[in-house]
Amino acid sequence: MNRLLSICLSLALVFGSACASISARSGGGAAKKATAGKELTEDLSAYRPKYPAADAPDPAASVTPTHHVNEKVAVLMDTVASVNKNIKYAKGYRILAYNGSERQTVMDLRKSIIARLPDEKDYLTYQQPNFRLKVGDFFSRIEAQQVLNQISDLIPNAQIVQDQININKTY
């Protein structure tokens, strides 16, 4: 009981001192109130360090390049461009619109998707006994989500899947 009383008193003392005002603890409350209306104008420039002014470069001067593009760089850039033209596939995303065994259902769904999204390419595959209908070639998941939002009323359970996509060369 005595120990509990001493703990309670020490907690009350800690909370009481923590809640005291700042001016009461600092002891200079009256002096701060007297100078609150006055503006302090003490000159501290004598104590600031002084640095010598650096010569600024002329802003009108222009920099001429020293290393120009030469034939070796042009050949390398042509090589990189030709290699990039040969790339036909990349990792990306497609919308899995249908995965089931009913052929007529997948064909009706394909027609309605083509009517809604004429710009997107659809991919219908058959692995016995299932038909899979995927839509689009998207580099990012955000692009696929935007198209999925357009067709979500047609296909409420469609989902975005990672797939190898065809690269359109118009990019």
Side-chain angles (χ1 to χ4, degrees):
M1 181 72 173
N2 193 14
R3 187 174 182 180
L4 182 64
L5 183 63
S6 64
I7 291 173
C8 289
L9 285 175
S10 62
L11 284 176
L13 181 63
V14 168
F15 285 130
S17 64
C19 295
S21 67
I22 295 173
S23 62
R25 278 190 273 159
S26 64
K32 287 182 183 177
K33 288 179 184 175
T35 60
K38 299 177 186 175
E39 199 172 312
L40 298 177
T41 57
E42 188 174 353
D43 185 23
L44 298 176
S45 63
Y47 300 109
R48 292 189 185 132
K50 293 177 177 57
Y51 299 104
D55 294 334
D58 185 19
S62 64
V63 177
T64 58
T66 57
H67 300 290
H68 297 286
V69 176
N70 57 19
E71 291 299 317
K72 291 180 182 178
V73 174
V75 169
L76 286 174
M77 292 301 288
D78 290 339
T79 306
V80 168
S82 65
V83 167
N84 286 341
K85 284 181 184 177
N86 293 332
I87 296 174
K88 294 180 178 24
Y89 305 105
K91 286 186 178 182
Y93 298 93
R94 288 190 176 148
I95 298 171
L96 178 62
Y98 182 79
N99 187 17
S101 60
E102 298 180 21
R103 184 177 190 277
Q104 189 59 41
T105 306
V106 74
M107 294 309 255
D108 293 339
L109 186 61
R110 181 178 181 216
K111 286 178 187 176
S112 61
I113 289 173
I114 290 172
R116 177 85 52 99
L117 303 169
D119 296 337
E120 297 298 332
K121 188 162 172 43
D122 61 302
Y123 301 93
L124 180 62
T125 57
Y126 178 70
Q127 281 185 326
Q128 193 172 359
N130 291 329
F131 290 95
R132 293 184 120 207
L133 178 62
K134 294 180 183 177
V135 178
D137 290 318
F138 307 106
F139 285 106
S140 70
R141 193 172 184 91
I142 294 171
E143 294 173 18
Q145 185 64 47
Q146 289 172 348
V147 174
L148 179 62
N149 290 342
Q150 293 176 3
I151 61 172
S152 63
D153 59 329
L154 287 175
I155 320 157
N157 57 351
Q159 57 188 352
I160 299 171
V161 293
Q162 271 191 334
D163 203 357
Q164 184 175 0
I165 63 170
N166 298 330
I167 295 178
N168 187 359
K169 293 300 180 182
T170 59
Y171 287 113

